[in-house]
Amino acid sequence: MKKQAKISNAVIKRLPRYRRYLKELRKKGVDKISSNEFSSLIGYTASQIRQDLNNFGGFGQQGYGYSVDGLYHEISAILGLDKQYKMVIVGAGNLGQAIVNHTYYYKSGFIVSAIFEVNPKLIGLKINDIEVMDYENIVEYVEENKIDIGIICTTMDAAQEVADKLCFAGVKGLWNFAPVDIETPSHVAIENVHITDSLYSLAYHINGAQEHNKK
């Protein structure tokens, strides 16, 4: 199903959650599900689910609901998960290694081709058979291997320079874990992941719940 031009980021961020629940339903052998049943399972309203899916043409049938398998594959295609993506990681510290391990054990079409570092003590090591290479060679490597995604696991000060090099070398998207928002050209997609922001949000919800209980 072809995507329309203007889809809100909020809708896009809900699609992976839909897909994750549909994947579990498939494992359980569920063939179809109504928007009301999906609502009670996933926590969004039935009308929200229908509205989100209608952005892409809608996939339900009146009186039948949604085909679990069909909807799973449609959302996978909308998200671009019917393709493979070659990735490089910049930064072989704890976070970089954790991402390598995650992608290694959860084969999902996102393939880490190489890891780059400035620390000479780490260059030449292998993490799950993926070599840690000298950062000086990153532009040449990305160009020659047609890398799709760059993953930034560096310090805040180094992140923008790394992003600039990756964009110059031709990546299509950046997944940034450095604690700073980085800028990219309009043709390069960017997802800034601030882990501490999520933790701070959790702290707010904990304290908000405590304040509510005091009343």
Side-chain angles (χ1 to χ4, degrees):
M1 183 67 63
K2 189 176 182 180
K3 289 188 284 188
Q4 296 178 357
K6 296 289 184 182
I7 306 295
S8 78
N9 202 42
V11 172
I12 300 301
K13 286 185 176 296
R14 285 193 288 269
L15 292 180
R17 183 177 170 91
Y18 290 142
R19 183 180 180 272
R20 178 158 45 87
Y21 276 80
L22 288 164
K23 185 176 182 179
E24 291 304 311
L25 289 169
R26 290 175 78 221
K27 285 181 182 178
K28 294 175 182 176
V30 178
D31 292 325
K32 64 178 181 177
I33 190 167
S34 70
S35 55
N36 286 326
E37 290 168 335
F38 208 9
S39 169
S40 63
L41 183 68
I42 202 169
Y44 304 141
T45 66
S47 108
Q48 178 74 76
I49 292 168
R50 289 192 296 270
Q51 186 178 333
D52 285 351
L53 297 178
N54 282 339
N55 280 294
F56 306 95
F59 308 104
Q61 297 177 19
Q62 190 73 29
Y64 178 86
Y66 299 101
S67 161
V68 170
D69 190 65
L71 187 56
Y72 173 82
H73 286 294
E74 290 284 2
I75 290 176
S76 296
I78 289 166
L79 289 169
L81 301 181
D82 51 348
K83 307 171 185 174
Q84 282 199 336
Y85 299 90
K86 294 171 72 175
M87 310 189 298
V88 295
I89 295 175
V90 184
N94 292 333
L95 182 55
Q97 292 184 34
I99 293 172
V100 172
N101 292 331
H102 179 83
T103 56
Y104 181 83
Y105 288 110
Y106 296 92
K107 314 290 185 187
S108 60
F110 295 89
I111 313 300
V112 176
S113 299
I115 310 162
F116 289 89
E117 249 295 341
V118 294
N119 185 345
K121 293 181 180 178
L122 297 176
I123 295 169
L125 296 178
K126 286 194 174 182
I127 304 169
N128 279 329
D129 297 327
I130 301 168
E131 185 178 356
V132 178
M133 303 172 70
D134 191 334
Y135 175 66
E136 290 297 316
N137 302 321
I138 192 168
V139 171
E140 182 181 1
Y141 182 92
V142 169
E143 289 176 340
E144 288 182 355
N145 292 277
K146 300 189 185 318
I147 299 300
D148 300 297
I149 296 172
I151 303 174
I152 301 175
C153 300
T154 66
T155 63
M156 177 174 61
D157 294 338
Q160 186 63 58
E161 181 206 332
V162 170
D164 292 343
K165 276 197 174 186
L166 288 166
C167 291
F168 174 79
V171 298
K172 299 171 184 173
L174 293 176
W175 200 19
N176 173 41
F177 285 88
V180 60
D181 288 340
I182 57 177
E183 297 180 359
T184 62
S186 58
H187 65 276
V188 178
I190 174 71
E191 185 74 16
N192 291 300
V193 182
H194 298 307
I195 296 173
T196 51
D197 284 5
S198 180
L199 192 59
Y200 296 161
S201 294
L202 177 62
Y204 169 81
H205 289 300
I206 290 171
N207 287 288
Q210 289 174 344
E211 288 299 319
H212 178 75
N213 289 334
K214 287 178 183 177
K215 294 177 181 178

